[in-house]
Amino acid sequence: MESLFIYLIKSSGLIGLFYLAYFFMLRKETFFNSNRWFLLAGLFTSILLPLLVITKIIWIEPTPSNINWANIPTTNYIQEKTFEDYLPLILIITYSVGTVLFLAKFAFDFFSLNSILKGKTIQKQADYKFVDITENLAPFSYFNTIVYNSTLYNASELENILEHEKVHSEQFHTIDVLISRLFCVVFWFNPFVWYYKKSILQNLEFIADSEALKKISDKKAYQITLLKITTQENCVAITNHFYQSLIKKRIVMLNKNQSKKWNSWKYTLILPALVGFVLLFQIKTIAQEKKSPNETQTKGEIIITIDKNFSDEELKKQVELFKKEYNCDLIFSEIERNSDNEIIGITVNHNKNIYGNETYKQQHSNNPINPFYIKGDLSGKVSIVNVAKNNKIEDVEKDVDSENDVVSITKEIFIDGAKVSKDDMDKLDPNEIESMDVIKNTSKQEIRIVTKKFNKTLLENEIYINDKKVDKKELLLLDQNTIDKMDVNKNEKTIRIITKNSNEIFNNSDAPTPPIPPTPPTFKFKSPKPPTFPKAPKAPKGSPINGDKKAWKEFEKKMEEFDAKMEKLEPQMEEFDKQMEEFDKQMEPFNKEMEAFDKKMKIYEQQMQEYQSNLKQQK
């Protein structure tokens, strides 16, 4: 359930990212078709990119613990049910109810469309289906079906409307509408998705207007038709309808000069943001400890008896066998034979003993060697044992020094930070050992063992020292004599340690200085405002033939006044076009400054990578 919430949040964030990119950089451009594919790509990217997870494995060196946990005071908390425990259930119920309601609304819109088309006469022409209705509805198209009320318009207006709707049908704009509606059902809680849907519908109208004008000679008549349609506010939600509430923007875009092709570079600005999203949220880092040679697990137990009759070829086979099964470097050296080819002296070295390296010798003499075993157990440990006269197996001396100086096992032994005796170590099951280090100094030797249970405790909890989050390695390097108190919170899965002198720990006065980011250019220009259009009169109910003739006569009079006002606006529209051209010229220096800023940002990012790398080295 938590994964579903995280996925929805990530997808919602990407939808918001694409919408903001469109709103601030692309909505005023006349690349209508490119904007269409940008908006659709944004929706599909928002649902697919959160599914891409890059796994990054960091290998860390195993570190022995020097903390005696038994001597440190701890505090255990009893987990109680809180509001947070019920919050996931509340959220899933709320989300499910909202989704069902919006899905029901989606289904109702299909039902409404079917009710309008049911029983109507369909006229087929080329690839289109024309349906002439009597209801007072704005013209609309659904796939290749175009619906209109011919009694509400004259021949010229109807021709303009049909050319517009044909563009919707030819370019399958209905698919865009349905996709945007489905996203509103799934992401209904995200306010950006509703603005996103509105932008998609508006851009589709820009496309249809632009393409229709290529086939219509009277641009002014088309704009008047747009204004007339605004009086019919009844429309079907899941269709491409000729009426749109943002009619002023459509007229502005009709009269706007084509955007310069070089402005298409703005589409690429979304790519760094997507890369940043992946780097921040889609890389899963897994820390794994490197296995020391003593940790390799084998397929089974192997016991090989070496006696006086072993040939050099047979010894070589044993070296290959132990290398394959235990990753053990087994070395036979100083082999000496008598005249009967019997072994009378041999030295054996390997690196897989529980204590470290092991060296076994049988002194050179005239007599053949006594048989001895090389044994590999289930835990991956290898040992060499003598066969005594009473047929018992007894451990031989272990050599932990690389120079073969024989040292007795009288050293300090620590298990999970606690000092123990050799008997305690002998009682420890080798299968319970996570890691072991043999440390030899000139004055003393230490064996430090970390059990699997203790290591699991460290990996499952977040560790804080003096309220600073640290990793396992930093904790194991902490001197236990500096610890004042430690709290283990099972509910929050945290280990919090307070030291006796927190000011002296983790003090780093040589931290590198972070780079300073470049300053973006200031946008000082104000876009010109379009002229204020008069409000179109609202058409009376019914048709001019069967409806209220007096109301329709009054409507025609108001339309004449409206046309006169629109004619007076033509000089203002021409002035607005000139202002827009001047505005585009003023934007050219700013765009160059933005290009220079982007180059500085790339340099800044490289400096930040070096800074973060230096920080890691400091730690």
Side-chain angles (χ1 to χ4, degrees), residues 578-603:
K578 293 179 181 178
Q579 292 175 357
M580 285 300 298
E581 291 178 1
E582 183 65 25
F583 177 74
D584 290 339
K585 292 179 180 179
Q586 292 176 351
M587 282 294 295
E588 291 180 359
F590 174 77
N591 292 330
K592 292 180 180 179
E593 292 178 3
M594 279 298 297
E595 292 178 359
F597 173 73
D598 291 339
K599 293 179 180 178
K600 293 179 181 178
M601 279 300 297
K602 291 180 180 179
I603 297 174

Side-chain angles (χ1 to χ4, degrees), residues 296-395:
T296 304
Q297 299 294 316
T298 65
K299 299 178 181 179
E301 185 175 82
I302 298 176
I303 300 177
I304 303 297
T305 304
I306 306 295
D307 59 22
K308 61 182 180 179
N309 297 317
F310 253 66
S311 64
D312 291 342
E313 185 64 28
E314 289 173 324
L315 291 176
K316 183 179 180 181
K317 289 181 179 180
Q318 305 314 314
V319 172
E320 295 174 353
L321 174 64
F322 276 80
K323 182 65 176 178
K324 177 182 178 182
E325 297 294 333
Y326 299 96
N327 195 26
C328 174
D329 296 325
L330 189 64
I331 300 173
F332 295 99
S333 61
E334 300 179 357
I335 301 173
E336 189 175 347
R337 299 178 183 273
N338 57 19
S339 57
D340 296 328
N341 203 30
E342 295 176 334
I343 300 175
I344 58 175
I346 192 171
T347 300
V348 185
N349 296 88
H350 73 86
N351 62 338
K352 296 292 288 186
N353 187 265
I354 190 173
Y355 302 103
N357 295 331
E358 180 177 7
T359 299
Y360 172 79
K361 293 182 180 181
Q362 282 209 33
Q363 298 296 329
H364 298 262
S365 64
N366 294 326
N367 298 321
I369 62 171
N370 295 320
F372 61 93
Y373 293 105
I374 302 177
K375 177 183 177 182
D377 60 24
L378 296 174
S379 66
K381 306 300 183 294
V382 176
S383 58
I384 303 174
V385 295
N386 264 333
V387 180
K389 292 181 179 180
N390 57 3
N391 291 328
K392 291 183 179 180
I393 299 176
E394 55 187 19
D395 289 339

Side-chain angles (χ1 to χ4, degrees), residues 144-169:
N144 65 337
T145 301
I146 299 175
V147 182
Y148 57 93
N149 186 344
S150 60
T151 62
L152 300 179
Y153 317 102
N154 58 42
S156 175
E157 292 170 343
L158 189 59
E159 181 184 359
N160 294 340
I161 292 171
L162 293 181
E163 288 295 339
H164 177 97
E165 296 302 329
K166 284 179 181 179
V167 176
H168 284 311
S169 180

Side-chain angles (χ1 to χ4, degrees), residues 54 58 106 148 175-177 179 228 274 303 335 353 452 473 482 559:
I54 301 174
I58 299 177
F106 193 32
Y148 57 93
I175 295 176
D176 301 46
V177 177
I179 290 174
K228 184 175 180 180
L274 296 179
I303 300 177
I335 301 173
N353 187 265
K452 292 181 178 179
K473 185 176 181 180
T482 64
M559 281 300 299

Side-chain angles (χ1 to χ4, degrees), residues 547-555:
D548 188 346
K549 294 183 179 180
K550 184 178 180 180
W552 274 100
K553 189 174 182 180
E554 182 67 23
F555 171 72

